[in-house]
CSV table of all heavy atoms in Angstrom, one decimal:
chain,number,residue,atom,x,y,z
B,89,GLY,N,104.9,85.3,94.5
B,89,GLY,CA,104.6,86.7,94.1
B,89,GLY,C,104.9,87.6,95.2
B,89,GLY,O,105.4,87.2,96.3
B,90,VAL,N,104.6,88.9,95.0
B,90,VAL,CA,104.7,89.9,96.1
B,90,VAL,C,103.3,90.3,96.5
B,90,VAL,O,102.5,90.7,95.8
B,90,VAL,CB,105.5,91.2,95.5
B,90,VAL,CG1,105.7,92.2,96.7
B,90,VAL,CG2,106.9,90.8,95.0
B,91,TYR,N,103.2,90.2,97.9
B,91,TYR,CA,101.9,90.5,98.5
B,91,TYR,C,101.9,91.9,99.1
B,91,TYR,O,102.9,92.2,99.9
B,91,TYR,CB,101.6,89.4,99.5
B,91,TYR,CG,101.3,88.1,98.9
B,91,TYR,CD1,102.3,87.3,98.3
B,91,TYR,CD2,100.0,87.6,98.7
B,91,TYR,CE1,102.0,86.0,97.7
B,91,TYR,CE2,99.7,86.4,98.1
B,91,TYR,CZ,100.7,85.6,97.6
B,91,TYR,OH,100.4,84.4,97.0
B,92,TYR,N,100.9,92.6,98.9
B,92,TYR,CA,100.8,94.0,99.4
B,92,TYR,C,99.5,94.2,100.2
B,92,TYR,O,98.5,93.7,99.8
B,92,TYR,CB,100.8,95.0,98.3
B,92,TYR,CG,102.0,95.2,97.5
B,92,TYR,CD1,102.2,94.4,96.3
B,92,TYR,CD2,103.1,96.0,97.9
B,92,TYR,CE1,103.3,94.6,95.5
B,92,TYR,CE2,104.2,96.1,97.1
B,92,TYR,CZ,104.3,95.4,95.9
B,92,TYR,OH,105.4,95.5,95.1
B,93,CYS,N,99.6,94.8,101.4
B,93,CYS,CA,98.4,95.3,102.0
B,93,CYS,C,98.3,96.8,101.6
B,93,CYS,O,99.2,97.4,101.3
B,93,CYS,CB,98.5,95.1,103.5
B,93,CYS,SG,99.8,96.0,104.4
B,94,MET,N,97.0,97.2,101.7
B,94,MET,CA,96.7,98.6,101.3
B,94,MET,C,95.6,99.1,102.2
B,94,MET,O,94.6,98.4,102.3
B,94,MET,CB,96.3,98.7,99.8
B,94,MET,CG,96.2,100.2,99.4
B,94,MET,SD,95.1,100.3,97.9
B,94,MET,CE,93.5,100.3,98.6
B,95,GLN,N,95.8,100.3,102.7
B,95,GLN,CA,94.7,100.9,103.5
B,95,GLN,C,93.9,101.8,102.5
B,95,GLN,O,94.4,102.6,101.8
B,95,GLN,CB,95.2,101.6,104.7
B,95,GLN,CG,95.9,102.9,104.5
B,95,GLN,CD,95.1,104.1,104.2
B,95,GLN,OE1,93.9,104.2,104.5
B,95,GLN,NE2,95.7,105.2,103.6
B,96,ALA,N,92.5,101.7,102.6
B,96,ALA,CA,91.7,102.4,101.8
B,96,ALA,C,90.7,103.3,102.6
B,96,ALA,O,89.7,103.8,102.2
B,96,ALA,CB,90.8,101.5,100.9
B,97,LEU,N,91.2,103.6,103.9
B,97,LEU,CA,90.3,104.4,104.8
B,97,LEU,C,90.5,105.9,104.5
B,97,LEU,O,89.5,106.6,104.5
B,97,LEU,CB,90.7,104.1,106.2
B,97,LEU,CG,89.9,104.9,107.3
B,97,LEU,CD1,88.5,104.5,107.3
B,97,LEU,CD2,90.5,104.7,108.7
B,98,GLN,N,91.7,106.3,104.3
B,98,GLN,CA,92.0,107.7,104.1
B,98,GLN,C,92.7,107.9,102.8
B,98,GLN,O,93.5,107.1,102.3
B,98,GLN,CB,92.9,108.2,105.2
B,98,GLN,CG,92.2,108.4,106.6
B,98,GLN,CD,93.2,109.0,107.6
B,98,GLN,OE1,94.3,109.4,107.2
B,98,GLN,NE2,92.8,109.0,108.8
B,99,THR,N,92.5,109.1,102.2
B,99,THR,CA,93.3,109.5,101.1
B,99,THR,C,94.6,110.2,101.6
B,99,THR,O,94.4,111.1,102.5
B,99,THR,CB,92.5,110.5,100.3
B,99,THR,OG1,91.3,109.8,99.8
B,99,THR,CG2,93.3,111.0,99.1
B,100,PRO,N,95.7,109.9,101.2
B,100,PRO,CA,96.0,109.0,100.1
B,100,PRO,C,96.0,107.5,100.5
B,100,PRO,O,96.3,107.2,101.7
B,100,PRO,CB,97.4,109.4,99.7
B,100,PRO,CG,98.1,109.8,100.9
B,100,PRO,CD,97.0,110.6,101.7
B,101,ALA,N,95.5,106.6,99.7
B,101,ALA,CA,95.7,105.2,100.0
B,101,ALA,C,97.1,104.9,100.1
B,101,ALA,O,98.0,105.6,99.4
B,101,ALA,CB,95.1,104.4,98.8
B,102,THR,N,97.5,104.0,101.0
B,102,THR,CA,98.9,103.7,101.1
B,102,THR,C,99.1,102.2,101.2
B,102,THR,O,98.3,101.5,101.7
B,102,THR,CB,99.5,104.4,102.4
B,102,THR,OG1,98.6,104.2,103.5
B,102,THR,CG2,99.7,105.8,102.2
B,103,PHE,N,100.2,101.8,100.6
B,103,PHE,CA,100.5,100.3,100.5
B,103,PHE,C,101.7,100.0,101.5
B,103,PHE,O,102.5,100.9,101.8
B,103,PHE,CB,101.0,100.0,99.1
B,103,PHE,CG,100.0,100.1,98.1
B,103,PHE,CD1,99.8,101.2,97.4
B,103,PHE,CD2,99.2,98.9,97.7
B,103,PHE,CE1,98.8,101.3,96.4
B,103,PHE,CE2,98.3,99.0,96.7
B,103,PHE,CZ,98.1,100.2,96.1
B,104,GLY,N,101.7,98.8,101.9
B,104,GLY,CA,102.8,98.2,102.6
B,104,GLY,C,104.0,98.1,101.6
B,104,GLY,O,103.8,98.2,100.4
B,105,GLN,N,105.2,97.7,102.2
B,105,GLN,CA,106.4,97.6,101.3
B,105,GLN,C,106.3,96.4,100.4
B,105,GLN,O,107.1,96.3,99.4
B,105,GLN,CB,107.6,97.5,102.2
B,105,GLN,CG,107.7,98.4,103.4
B,105,GLN,CD,107.2,97.8,104.6
B,105,GLN,OE1,106.1,97.3,104.7
B,105,GLN,NE2,108.1,97.7,105.6
Side-chain angles (χ1 to χ4, degrees):
Chain B
V90 181
Y91 291 76
Y92 295 93
C93 60
M94 186 201 84
Q95 68 80 17
L97 179 68
Q98 286 184 9
T99 299
T102 45
F103 291 90
Q105 314 96 304

